[in-house]
Amino acid sequence: MIYHIVRRFASSQTKSVLMALRRSTGLPFGVCKKVLDEVGGNLEKAEELIAVRARSEGELKSRALISRKVSYGLLGISLRNDRSLGIIKALCETDFVAKTPEFRKFVCKSAEAFISGHEYESDTFTYFSDIESVSEEAKTFRYETLSLLGENIKFGGGIIFNAQSNAQLAVSTHPKNNEKFNNSLWGNFLGVVEYQCTAKSNAIELIAQDLCSHVIVNSPTSLHRKEALQESSDELTEDSQQNESSQENVDEDEDDEDEIFIESSSSLLDQKSTRNPSQTIRELCENSGIEIKRFLRMDMSSDFNTTKLC
């Protein structure tokens, strides 16, 4: 009787360890069971053995797949202490792989590894063309994921954004996801707002999140109206020089209409709030005690090397 109880308990323990290894690695049950048998059922040793083999296999596969085109992927975002933000772009061959839980987890873990290697330095915005040169851990994650998913996987650059000493950062991604890995997120679109606020509360944090979502949806190009007008003026300088005579005949009222359009479409503070269209972002911030310092919008088509804060 005791023998059967002990045997049944041991069997349940083995199944529990097997399930845990399956969840942590994403490998088939058969592979997990084989590795557990090799290490005497020790979960920690099994995970270490799988990681070593995956790195080795992934490095070999990486060399074999290096010429394959990578056109899909995700942005990975990791926020630390509400003041330091690491952003990476991870690329793969197919949309199918980009949507897998394994790839999403890889993207988040790599973003976290990327930011963990940097100390906070007030008011900096730095581009890195080669993530793996500053994060050996991110390279390891890439090899492991490449081995698991069987596609060419590459990094498309990274950015470290440190807020001003008296400000903090809020982040939102699209699509919205609840699959947080520590303080990391994945997404196809990214909105970041750097702001100051006299009081901290959950309500303020939610408003800051809404502001980030607004940036993603409405794609503002400047914070203030004057900046939007100047940006538009710079873009049209060449055309205006070529058509100087026709510009002289433009009616003042039409100029005013153009300014209003630029103001509403490009300037963040003058845009109507997505959540509450009855007020502008400026009014929302004034009512909430929030001062937006800068913002950033990115998507998978963004060139990390030329990305700038607004």
Side-chain angles (χ1 to χ4, degrees):
M1 181 68 177
I2 295 177
Y3 167 77
H4 289 296
I5 293 175
V6 171
R7 187 178 178 183
R8 194 175 304 150
F9 175 75
S11 177
S12 65
Q13 287 291 94
T14 301
K15 289 181 180 178
S16 177
V17 173
L18 181 60
M19 288 293 293
L21 186 61
R22 170 72 176 86
R23 284 195 297 268
S24 66
T25 63
L27 294 173
F29 280 108
V31 176
C32 293
K33 187 177 185 305
K34 184 178 179 180
V35 175
L36 281 171
D37 289 341
E38 291 183 47
V39 297
N42 187 297
L43 177 60
E44 187 174 336
K45 289 183 178 180
E47 289 176 336
E48 291 176 0
L49 181 58
I50 288 173
V52 169
R53 290 177 177 175
R55 282 194 293 271
S56 178
E57 183 180 345
E59 187 171 2
L60 292 174
K61 281 188 177 180
S62 179
R63 294 170 185 168
L65 302 175
I66 193 170
S67 62
R68 290 192 183 179
K69 186 178 180 181
V70 287
S71 304
Y72 300 88
L74 290 170
L75 298 175
I77 307 96
S78 185
L79 181 62
R80 185 174 61 185
N81 300 325
D82 294 329
R83 296 199 301 171
S84 293
L85 183 67
I87 308 168
I88 68 164
K89 181 190 290 187
L91 301 165
C92 59
E93 296 177 40
T94 63
D95 185 47
F96 173 79
V97 164
K99 291 179 178 178
T100 60
E102 293 82 7
F103 188 80
R104 291 170 176 174
K105 184 176 181 180
F106 150 70
V107 170
C108 291
K109 287 171 63 179
S110 297
E112 187 174 359
F114 177 51
I115 188 67
S116 66
H118 295 83
E119 295 296 327
Y120 172 75
E121 185 178 348
S122 177
D123 195 14
T124 56
F125 190 81
T126 310
Y127 164 70
F128 293 85
S129 60
D130 185 3
I131 291 175
E132 294 182 1
S133 66
V134 295
S135 176
E136 188 68 26
E137 194 174 9
K139 180 193 290 188
T140 297
F141 292 150
R142 183 173 72 86
Y143 285 155
E144 291 175 354
T145 308
L146 192 152
S147 173
L148 176 65
L149 299 177
E151 281 197 4
N152 188 19
I153 294 174
K154 295 181 180 179
F155 290 115
I159 289 173
I160 298 293
F161 176 22
N162 290 312
Q164 299 172 22
S165 58
N166 56 352
Q168 59 192 90
L169 301 174
V171 182
S172 183
T173 59
H174 180 80
K176 286 276 190 181
N177 60 86
N178 297 317
E179 299 174 271
K180 268 195 173 185
F181 298 91
N182 294 329
N183 289 316
S184 300
L185 292 167
W186 57 267
N188 299 110
F189 299 86
L190 163 68
V192 182
V193 170
E194 180 188 34
Y195 68 99
Q196 291 179 338
C197 187
T198 54
K200 286 187 177 182
S201 67
N202 291 335
I204 292 298
E205 291 180 2
L206 289 174
I207 292 173
Q209 290 284 326
D210 283 344
L211 290 172
C212 294
S213 298
H214 176 97
V215 168
I216 292 174
V217 173
N218 293 277
S219 305
T221 58
S222 66
L223 182 59
H224 300 284
R225 177 173 175 271
K226 288 183 179 180
E227 294 170 358
L229 291 172
Q230 181 61 47
E231 181 177 309
S232 177
S233 176
D234 292 342
E235 291 176 353
L236 297 174
T237 296
E238 186 176 344
D239 290 339
S240 64
Q241 290 174 347
Q242 294 175 353
N243 302 286
E244 185 175 348
S245 59
S246 62
Q247 289 293 330
E248 291 175 355
N249 297 324
V250 174
D251 188 84
E252 290 184 2
D253 290 339
E254 292 181 1
D255 287 340
D256 291 340
E257 290 176 3
D258 289 340
E259 290 188 5
I260 292 172
F261 173 76
I262 294 170
E263 173 184 322
S264 61
S265 63
S266 301
S267 168
L268 173 59
L269 291 177
D270 294 292
Q271 288 180 337
K272 297 293 185 181
S273 168
T274 301
R275 184 173 289 275
N276 184 6
S278 66
Q279 62 181 350
T280 63
I281 295 298
R282 186 190 305 278
E283 292 168 339
L284 172 64
C285 291
E286 289 175 350
N287 294 336
S288 306
I290 292 176
E291 180 186 358
I292 299 177
K293 307 300 290 184
R294 294 175 293 187
F295 70 89
L296 173 69
R297 183 191 185 279
M298 298 183 71
D299 56 46
M300 283 300 296
S301 66
S302 299
D303 184 350
F304 275 40
N305 190 29
T306 58
T307 296
K308 296 180 180 179
L309 292 167
C310 297

